[in-house]
Amino acid sequence: MTILTILIAPNPILRKKAQPVAMIDESIKKLLKDMEETMHAENGIGLAAPQIGVSKQVLVMNVPANVDVDGELIEGLSAGPDLFFMINPEIINKSDEFATCQEGCLSVPKQYAEITRPATVWVRYIDENGEILEHEFNYLQSACVQHEIDHLNGKLFVDYLSTMKRDMLIRKAQKVLHQL
Ligand code: NI
């Protein structure tokens, strides 16, 4: 496994619509594993392939089902599967209710903003074994999967903010980068 370099906004690859994956071969499986390792190394909860310079519809996510958008554990709910590998994911339905989550992004390092999104989404995707699955996501998982699918469409969480705020966070992220 390899730890990959994460692209930082405003890199143009982050703005491209990612290509669907036609075939799940060994290179896609290796990509998923490398992305998982990179996500863990960077302490991220999700990572989309464009963030490591691969413009393909592939994402990894590591969030338990029982964590709320504020990061608190929800009593009485099981953690469920927390690691997801998704190929060609698609939001097939979303709730009318909304939830607000403080989001950050490895491609906009050390910048955070409150983002409001549908509270629940249903996603159809292909897993690492080529199986087509449909899954309901709530709480932090929902915010995270929507954030990652946005990456596959060339969209960043800062795009939900005013142009002024967005440009400011991207500028600040660049400064953080130069301090590293
Ligand atoms: Ni992100």
Side-chain angles (χ1 to χ4, degrees):
M1 289 200 277
T2 317
I3 295 179
L4 306 158
T5 303
I6 292 179
L7 303 184
I8 306 298
N11 190 302
I13 296 175
L14 294 169
R15 292 310 194 176
K16 276 176 65 179
K17 193 168 164 56
Q19 292 299 307
V21 172
M23 194 175 59
I24 300 162
D25 55 13
E26 287 310 309
S27 75
I28 294 293
K29 289 183 183 178
K30 181 174 186 325
L31 174 67
L32 283 165
K33 281 291 169 197
D34 288 346
M35 284 172 62
E36 180 194 357
E37 196 178 38
T38 304
M39 172 180 68
H40 289 312
E42 301 288 343
N43 293 315
I45 61 172
L47 187 68
Q51 292 183 274
I52 45 99
V54 176
S55 200
K56 288 187 176 154
Q57 290 187 22
V58 172
L59 67 84
V60 297
M61 173 166 102
N62 186 18
V63 185
N66 62 346
V67 176
D68 208 348
V69 284
D70 54 10
E72 298 290 324
L73 271 183
I74 304 162
E75 301 252 346
L77 211 64
S78 110
D82 58 1
L83 182 62
F84 292 87
F85 295 104
M86 297 190 195
I87 296 156
N88 303 347
E90 184 190 355
I91 294 173
I92 53 172
N93 204 354
K94 52 193 177 189
S95 64
D96 295 330
E97 285 171 25
F98 289 85
T100 300
C101 180
Q102 174 154 285
E103 295 188 21
C105 180
L106 295 173
S107 294
V108 192
K110 303 246 187 317
Q111 311 306 315
Y112 304 92
E114 306 248 296
I115 307 295
T116 300
R117 300 177 184 272
T120 305
V121 289
W122 288 262
V123 178
R124 182 184 296 141
Y125 64 96
I126 304 172
D127 74 2
E128 68 276 23
N129 302 312
E131 216 175 315
I132 299 172
L133 300 174
E134 285 181 12
H135 195 90
E136 176 183 327
F137 294 96
N138 290 289
Y139 310 111
L140 187 59
Q141 272 189 344
S142 175
C144 186
V145 77
Q146 291 179 72
H147 175 121
E148 301 311 331
I149 290 174
D150 273 353
H151 274 300
L152 304 182
N153 291 309
K155 190 165 182 175
L156 301 173
F157 79 102
V158 291
D159 297 348
Y160 292 92
L161 307 170
S162 69
T163 309
M164 200 167 42
K165 184 98 196 275
R166 181 191 69 198
D167 292 348
M168 187 182 78
L169 292 190
I170 289 178
R171 264 202 315 276
K172 280 181 160 179
Q174 287 286 320
K175 277 192 195 155
V176 169
L177 189 66
H178 293 307
Q179 283 161 7
L180 294 177

